[in-house]
Every structure is written in structure tokens, then in C-alpha cells.
Amino acid sequence: MSPPVAPPGWSRWLVPPAALSVHLSIGQAYAWSVFKPPLESALGLSGTQSALPFQLGIVMLGLSAAFGGTLVERNGPRWAMTVALLCFSSGFLLSALGAHLEQYWLIVLGYGFVGGIGLGIGYISPVSTLIKWFPDRPGMATGIAIMGFGGGALIASPWSAQMLESFGGDSSGIALAFLVHGLSYTVFMLLGVLLVRVPRDAPGARGTAGHEPTGPQVSAKQALRTPQFWLLWIVLCMNVTAGIGILEKAAPMITDFFADTSTPVSVTAAAGFVALLSAANMAGRIGWSSTSDLIGRKNIYRVYLGVGALMYALIALFGDSSKPLFILCALVVLSFYGGGFATVPAYLKDLFGTYQVGAIHGRLLTAWSTAGVLGPLIVNWIADRQEEAGRHGASLYGLSFAIMIGLLVVGFVANELVRPVDPRHHAPAPKEAAHAERQQSESA
């Protein structure tokens, strides 16, 4: 499948909606916590076990993005979106079969492994294309698309809760909800497949006129040899771990925090909290990433990591005594979580250029794979152990929140160490590289 080239006069503003149709669909992953309680009840799972499909999905997201990044660069966004559609929808259909048969391993395989591949390929599918369409505002452009991934749960969370209420929370009801998800997302993602285009004069196209890339141009292979890549890997991993620790267990967490108070949180209200977190995640992706175009990537990550640690401290110290404080701090943390994802492609572009930024971005997302295991594992495992020790309510999370604060401090230090890439790592611009390759082949 060759990349579809935009005809003359094609508006670059048609590309973000194509990206959004894919990202809003795969962003359903952030609504997984809505399925955790019914799965635990129907199949007799622990909190750690019910997190496994989500964890594996995030692992596969990072791995498929890392290994598929070069293929996405080579084959273009339409190919990538098609692969994402097939994998993500098939994952839901397999999960529906697993729930119907009460075979949890099928849910892990479908949602986690197969669906996770769709997450990774779908996530990176529009990033490089958007940066080439919007070289003047890369933070805003990637923020618009990646905003959809953060906002997917804003739709999926209440939708899933309503389906579980209508179909029932037993294995048959869960199976039917998974089936509806798979079929619906097939149709919605197809819109992006049909609409997406690449610029005629890439790299650097701005609708009708092409511009040669400026600044450093570093290949994906060479980027792995730079300290900047690994420092950003740590920055992203720490920021994601802190955000995903709340997000994956959001519904049961807010219920636990206020279970012993005079105003306990209902199941419906907990699902609403998940939707609020999704809104903050989504708003942070466009708001903070656009802000990074004004104040710089390094400064915005200082905010994400430094203020994020403060928010966690406030939740740990005072969260169970004030529901508005708990919700506000969680919303801020999730806005930083989403902003970190949306800003990192522009940060990579600033450091490594546009030459192979999509492939570099894919490799960096292995940090997300690590965080996807680390964050839920820290929160769920500690909560399970605390519950076994007879503790309840907010005390289930005190230790895990302290760990999150420490991780954010590590990320803050790593961000401070980021410097411009040494010129010895720079590669020739793509046209110059192609010319050099032709000369070498002619002289051979």
C-alpha cells in the first residue's frame, strides 16, 4: 500500500481529523479500569490479575511502535492505520470470545497482545506525517492528534459503563460489550484510513509549499547512541509511570479513598471520575504541548515532573479528607501525563530533526512499555499486600504514592541533563543522503 499523496490545494487541516479518528478509538485503553471490577467479580480475579490485559497492551504498544516505526516511515500512514484497525478490532473480538467462554487467557491474548499491537502501530501512524505538515507548530500538531488518544476514554468510559449496566456485569454481558466495541471501532478507524494524506513536498511541507529541514538531522540508529535519547527515555518513563499508576486503577482507587467517609463514591460516579481523568488527559495533550511551542520543551517537562510530584504529595497527605482536592490533584497529574506524550515528539524533533523522527519516536515508546508494567504493578501489588495486611481506604496507596514522587524526581533530574546533540551524530539531510548513496553505487 503506497502512501496517498495529497493533491494540489489539499488542506493540511484535514490530516488532524484523520489522526483523531484512529487515536480516539485506540484511546479506549484508558477506560480499562471500568472493566476491572466486573471482570474480577465474574472470573474471580485479583486487582493485579485484572490489570494484566492493560499492562500487556501497553507493553505491546511500545514494542510494536519500536519495531514498526521504520515500517511506518517506509509504508506511510494509511498502511499503518489499516494494520492498527485490523489488530485493535480483532483484539476486542478475541476478548469477547474469551469472556463468553470464561477463558481469561483469551482476553489477555486478544486485548493485551493483539490489540496492543494495534495500539502501538496506530499511535505512531500519524506522528511523522503531522510534523511534516506542520513544521512551524510541531507541538500543537502532534498535540491535536495525540489528544485523541487521551480523550478516547472520555467516550469509552461512560459508554462501557452503560453497556455493562444494560448487558449485565457477568461474563456474557462483558462479552457483548467487547463485541460492540470491536465492531464500532472498525467503522470509526476506517474514516482515518480513507482520509489521511502525506504532503507532496515532504519533508517540511506546509500545505502547498515545501521547506527543507533545518537544524540537526539524526537517524534512528544513531539516535540510540546518544545520551539525549536515553535521558528522554527516563523522562518519559517516569512521567508515564506516575500518570498510569492513577489511571489504570482510577475507578477502584477513588472508591477506596472515600469508602470509610460519609460520602462514599458509587460505581457510576467512579466511572464519571475516569471520564474526567480522560478529559484532563486530553486537554493536557493539546494545551501543554501548544504551550511548549512558546516556552520550550525542557521547561514544560520541568512543570510536568516538578509540579506532578507536588500533586502526588498533596493526594498522599490530604486526599482522603477532601474529595475536591483529590479530584483536582489527580486531574492535574493526568493533564501532565497527557501533555508529556504530546510534547515528546516535538522534543525529539528539536533534538534529532525530522529525518527519521517517527522511527525514533517509536523506539522511545519502549519507555511506555516499561511504565505500563511498572505503574500498575506498583499500585496494584502494594494495594493487594496492604489489603491482605488488614488495611483499607486511603492507606492502601500511601507507599505507592511515595514511590511515584521519587520516580518523578528522577525524571526531573534526567530532564535537567538533556543537552543539544553532538554534531558528530548528525546525518546528511535525506536528499543529500540519497545523492551520496547514488554516487557510491555508481563508483562501486
Side-chain angles (χ1 to χ4, degrees), residues 214-290:
T214 59
Q217 299 297 322
V218 182
S219 69
K221 181 178 179 181
Q222 195 66 23
L224 295 178
R225 301 174 181 174
T226 66
Q228 287 82 0
F229 177 88
W230 296 107
L231 287 169
L232 276 188
W233 193 97
I234 293 171
V235 167
L236 183 63
C237 185
M238 298 302 100
N239 194 56
V240 172
T241 300
I244 213 168
I246 290 179
L247 192 58
E248 188 276 335
K249 201 173 173 67
M253 182 183 291
I254 193 171
T255 302
D256 290 337
F257 252 80
F258 299 97
D260 299 328
T261 69
S262 59
T263 56
V265 177
S266 67
V267 173
T268 302
F273 176 62
V274 175
L276 275 178
L277 291 180
S278 178
N281 188 352
M282 179 174 64
R285 290 171 188 247
I286 182 62
W288 294 121
S289 61
S290 296

Side-chain angles (χ1 to χ4, degrees), residues 25-38:
S25 298
I26 62 177
Q28 182 281 334
Y30 285 140
W32 176 253
S33 65
V34 175
F35 285 102
K36 281 171 64 69

Side-chain angles (χ1 to χ4, degrees), residues 19-108:
L20 273 172
S21 72
V22 172
H23 274 236
L24 279 170
S25 298
I26 62 177
Q28 182 281 334
Y30 285 140
W32 176 253
S33 65
V34 175
F35 285 102
K36 281 171 64 69
L39 280 170
E40 290 168 14
S41 176
L43 302 180
L45 306 174
S46 68
T48 302
Q49 289 173 323
S50 66
L52 185 56
F54 177 81
Q55 288 176 293
L56 181 57
I58 298 301
V59 169
M60 294 310 301
L61 185 158
L63 294 178
S64 60
F67 289 105
T70 303
L71 289 174
V72 172
E73 289 279 298
R74 182 184 307 146
N75 297 326
R78 177 169 288 178
W79 174 86
M81 289 179 178
T82 301
V83 171
L85 183 158
L86 294 174
C87 291
F88 189 65
S89 297
S90 297
F92 266 114
L93 299 182
L94 274 174
S95 297
L97 179 62
H100 178 70
L101 299 176
E102 298 187 1
Q103 296 294 316
Y104 187 57
W105 68 271
L106 267 176
I107 298 176
V108 175

Side-chain angles (χ1 to χ4, degrees), residues 48 51 55 244-245 248 370-385 400 404:
T48 302
Q55 288 176 293
I244 213 168
E248 188 276 335
T370 304
V373 174
L374 193 59
L377 182 62
I378 290 171
V379 175
N380 284 287
W381 187 85
I382 291 177
D384 288 344
R385 300 292 80 77
S400 58
M404 295 300 180

Side-chain angles (χ1 to χ4, degrees), residues 134-329:
F134 293 87
D136 51 330
R137 286 181 281 180
M140 182 213 68
T142 55
I144 289 174
I146 295 175
M147 171 184 70
F149 193 86
L154 188 62
I155 300 170
S157 180
W159 183 36
S160 300
Q162 182 60 50
M163 278 195 285
L164 290 170
E165 185 178 335
S166 300
F167 301 151
D170 58 1
S171 57
S172 297
I174 296 170
L176 189 53
F178 282 154
L179 177 63
V180 173
H181 275 80
L183 297 177
S184 300
Y185 287 133
T186 296
V187 175
F188 199 57
M189 293 174 75
L190 188 60
L191 298 176
V193 172
L194 297 176
L195 187 60
V196 73
R197 299 287 188 277
V198 296
R200 299 179 65 84
D201 301 314
R206 293 183 57 186
T208 57
H211 299 267
E212 288 303 315
T214 59
Q217 299 297 322
V218 182
S219 69
K221 181 178 179 181
Q222 195 66 23
L224 295 178
R225 301 174 181 174
T226 66
Q228 287 82 0
F229 177 88
W230 296 107
L231 287 169
L232 276 188
W233 193 97
I234 293 171
V235 167
L236 183 63
C237 185
M238 298 302 100
N239 194 56
V240 172
T241 300
I244 213 168
I246 290 179
L247 192 58
E248 188 276 335
K249 201 173 173 67
M253 182 183 291
I254 193 171
T255 302
D256 290 337
F257 252 80
F258 299 97
D260 299 328
T261 69
S262 59
T263 56
V265 177
S266 67
V267 173
T268 302
F273 176 62
V274 175
L276 275 178
L277 291 180
S278 178
N281 188 352
M282 179 174 64
R285 290 171 188 247
I286 182 62
W288 294 121
S289 61
S290 296
T291 303
S292 78
D293 287 334
L294 302 175
I295 70 173
R297 322 303 170 196
K298 192 168 188 174
N299 285 332
I300 202 69
Y301 271 96
R302 285 170 172 151
V303 174
Y304 297 156
L305 299 159
V307 179
L310 176 61
M311 294 297 104
Y312 254 112
L314 289 174
I315 294 175
L317 294 173
F318 309 111
D320 60 339
S321 61
S322 173
K323 195 177 294 183
L325 178 66
F326 177 93
I327 294 172
L328 177 63
C329 291

